[in-house]
């Protein structure tokens, strides 16, 4: 479809975007690429340009997806060799695939509600205390103690006083004399018990009641104690929050992982950014493959599709490494094993740090 804004009568002799001199025969600016047109923008122009951009990206998206699925390592190799307009941007493509995957994952596996239901069942169940039957020798010893005139039943007392936050109370003066680590532990115990008993959620009111210093650190620490109480009663809330951040957590995790790939292939003629492109394409393939598996299981049921995806992805990773880096089978298999070991170690560390970071900024 011919865009009316590009007609000869609307062309000028200067680019309206960058000021570069143009000829009437120039449809686009040779410096910035903007269309050479002085026509005022209309709704039809905006609508046409929007959809032409969507379909242009859609064409690259389909081509990228097709090559990514059926030719392991080729798309990364083409991209670093200069064929970049042929495919979708790897970072943009990754974000699109990851967001779609986690949306589908959230629909398929509603762990948040399952955690809440499990927690609710545990709270509703109040099993009685089961006292194991002691052996006869133990009973004889107890009888001697109870019937002894020196001891008697009156001397056996059971503390039934309920525990309160006051049992854990420490004053500001006491905290000031402690080490930072000891003070942190004492305040966490106190703040958690205090918010649980009083249901005061406002940090300022809590500091007034406890006669603690009104510092930003104390306010933040008390807020985290309140959040911990909330997550204890509603664990699915934090799980859903954490899952919603996973696409971006993995996005920032991959550059660290790419650094280890670079170290593993240090003797090869690849720079860090080329390893990073490969890492993003592999991770995108992971989301696409497991997204397809989740869709299949939603339609036909069972869990065989995800199991099959595990084996397919491992084989795909091996082929991708072999095709992209161009090494023999033995070297590729050894580096494949080592790379997976590094990936899982880094993933555990990243998961722990991400959980702590997510909780701290919640």
């Amino acid at each position: 479809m011919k865009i009316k804004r590009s007609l000869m009568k609307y062309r000028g002799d200067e680019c309206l975007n960058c000021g570069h001199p143009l000829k009437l025969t120039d449809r686009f600016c040779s410096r910035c690429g903007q269309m050479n047109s002085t026509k005022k923008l209309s709704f039809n122009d905006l609508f046409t340009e929007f959809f032409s951009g969507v379909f242009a990206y859609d064409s690259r998206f389909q081509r990228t997806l097709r090559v990514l699925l059926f030719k392991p390592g080729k798309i990364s190799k083409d991209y670093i060799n200069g064929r970049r307009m042929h495919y979708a941007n790897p970072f943009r493509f990754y974000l699109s695939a990851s967001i779609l995957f986690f949306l589908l994952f959230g629909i398929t596996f509603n762990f948040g509600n399952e955690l809440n239901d499990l927690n609710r069942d545990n709270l509703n169940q109040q099993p009685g205390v089961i006292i194991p039957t002691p052996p006869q020798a133990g009973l004889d010893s107890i009888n001697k103690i109870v019937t002894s005139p020196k001891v008697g039943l009156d001397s056996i007392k059971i503390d039934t006083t309920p525990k309160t936050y006051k049992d854990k109370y420490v004053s500001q003066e006491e905290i000031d004399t402690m080490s930072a680590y000891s003070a942190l532990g004492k305040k966490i115990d106190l703040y958690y018990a205090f918010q649980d008993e009083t249901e005061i959620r406002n940090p300022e009111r809590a500091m007034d009641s406890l006669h603690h210093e009104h510092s930003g650190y104390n306010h933040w620490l008390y807020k985290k104690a309140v959040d911990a109480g909330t997550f204890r009663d509603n664990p699915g809330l934090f799980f859903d929050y954490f899952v919603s951040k996973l696409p971006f957590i993995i996005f920032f995790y991959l550059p660290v992982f790419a650094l280890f790939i670079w170290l593993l292939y240090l003797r090869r003629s690849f720079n860090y950014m080329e390893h990073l492109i490969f890492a993003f394409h592999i991770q995108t393939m992971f989301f696409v493959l497991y997204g397809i598996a989740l869709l299949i299981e939603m339609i036909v049921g069972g869990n065989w599709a995800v199991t099959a995806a595990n084996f397919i992805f491992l084989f795909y990773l091996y082929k991708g490494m072999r095709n992209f880096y161009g090494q023999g089978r033995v070297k590729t298999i050894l580096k494949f094993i080592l790379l997976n070991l590094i990936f899982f170690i880094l993933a555990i560390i990243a998961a722990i740090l991400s959980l702590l970071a997510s909780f701290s900024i919640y």
Side-chain angles (χ1 to χ4, degrees):
M1 182 176 65
K2 191 172 182 179
I3 301 174
K4 292 183 178 180
R5 294 186 68 238
S6 66
L7 294 176
M8 185 73 73
K9 63 179 180 179
Y10 296 123
R11 296 178 190 173
D13 55 5
E14 184 182 71
C15 177
L16 299 180
N17 182 57
C18 65
H20 185 67
L22 299 174
K23 298 178 182 179
L24 293 179
T25 54
D26 295 330
R27 290 189 61 193
F28 299 95
C29 174
S30 59
R31 176 184 289 176
C32 68
Q34 179 168 289
M35 182 182 290
N36 180 15
S37 177
T38 59
K39 182 179 181 294
K40 289 188 176 182
L41 194 65
S42 66
F43 177 77
N44 184 57
D45 295 329
L46 190 65
F47 187 81
T48 303
E49 286 188 6
F50 170 76
F51 277 99
S52 64
V54 169
F55 289 131
Y57 177 72
D58 185 59
S59 175
R60 290 197 302 272
F61 181 88
Q62 291 180 16
R63 189 183 302 115
T64 303
L65 185 60
R66 185 174 62 252
V67 176
L68 184 72
L69 281 171
F70 301 109
K71 297 181 179 179
K74 175 177 170 53
I75 187 171
S76 302
K77 204 162 190 176
D78 284 351
Y79 200 86
I80 67 172
N81 287 334
R83 296 191 69 190
R84 291 166 192 157
M85 292 302 294
H86 199 65
Y87 302 109
N89 180 280
F91 308 116
R92 184 180 176 184
F93 190 58
Y94 161 83
L95 285 175
S96 301
S98 62
I99 291 171
L100 288 173
F101 170 79
F102 282 108
L103 284 174
L104 184 61
F105 181 82
I107 295 170
T108 309
F109 299 100
N110 200 346
F111 285 120
N113 288 339
E114 290 179 9
L115 285 172
N116 290 337
D117 293 340
L118 181 62
N119 185 59
R120 197 175 298 113
D121 291 341
N122 290 336
L123 291 175
N124 291 335
Q125 291 176 0
Q126 298 179 354
V129 178
I130 301 175
I131 303 175
T133 304
Q136 187 60 40
L139 287 173
D140 294 340
S141 301
I142 294 171
N143 289 331
K144 288 180 181 179
I145 293 172
V146 172
T147 57
S148 172
K150 293 182 179 180
V151 181
L153 288 172
D154 293 337
S155 63
I156 302 175
K157 296 181 180 179
I158 299 174
D159 185 10
T160 58
T161 306
K163 299 293 183 181
T164 70
Y165 74 89
K166 294 179 182 178
D167 298 318
K168 300 180 179 181
Y169 182 77
V170 283
S171 65
Q172 184 63 51
E173 290 76 16
E174 292 175 298
I175 289 173
D176 292 338
T177 62
M178 298 178 183
S179 65
Y181 181 78
S182 299
L184 176 63
K186 292 288 185 182
K187 286 195 283 189
I188 289 174
D189 288 342
L190 173 61
Y191 292 169
Y192 184 81
F194 180 81
Q195 65 84 28
D196 192 42
E197 185 177 336
T198 64
E199 297 185 353
I200 294 176
R201 302 181 67 86
N202 185 279
E204 293 183 359
R205 284 185 59 198
M207 294 305 108
D208 286 336
S209 301
L210 294 169
H211 304 291
H212 280 193
E213 181 185 358
H214 280 279
S215 65
Y217 175 67
N218 281 350
H219 287 181
W220 174 82
L221 202 59
Y222 186 80
K223 184 179 180 302
K224 294 302 105 183
V226 173
D227 290 340
T230 302
F231 297 147
R232 179 201 61 191
D233 299 331
N234 187 9
L237 187 65
F238 180 70
F239 181 84
D240 292 338
Y241 170 78
F242 181 71
V243 169
S244 69
K245 299 292 181 289
L246 275 178
F248 306 100
I249 292 171
I250 299 173
F251 183 86
F252 291 107
Y253 161 77
L254 285 177
V256 179
F257 179 58
L259 179 63
F260 285 87
I261 302 177
W262 175 70
L263 291 173
L264 196 61
Y265 286 95
L266 195 58
R267 294 183 179 181
R268 304 289 293 175
S269 60
F270 294 93
N271 62 31
Y272 171 77
M273 283 304 299
E274 291 169 344
H275 293 297
L276 185 61
I277 295 295
F278 177 72
F280 269 100
H281 281 143
I282 290 295
Q283 188 62 44
T284 304
M285 177 60 187
F286 175 90
F287 290 138
V288 171
L289 182 62
Y290 282 87
I292 293 171
L294 291 177
L295 277 175
I296 292 173
E297 290 190 356
M298 285 177 64
I299 296 170
V300 302
N303 56 5
W304 60 269
V306 171
T307 303
N310 293 331
F311 293 101
I312 293 171
F313 179 74
L314 289 174
F315 179 74
Y316 181 93
L317 177 58
Y318 161 75
K319 291 295 291 183
M321 290 174 65
R322 182 122 190 266
N323 293 337
F324 183 72
Y325 293 108
Q327 291 189 321
R329 287 189 178 90
V330 176
K331 280 188 175 181
T332 302
I333 290 173
L334 290 174
K335 290 184 178 181
F336 168 84
I337 295 170
L338 186 57
L339 203 59
N340 276 282
L341 181 63
I342 293 170
F343 179 86
F344 283 113
I345 292 172
L346 288 177
I348 292 169
I349 296 171
I352 294 170
L353 293 176
S354 299
L355 283 168
L356 293 174
S358 299
F359 180 70
S360 66
I361 64 175
Y362 179 81

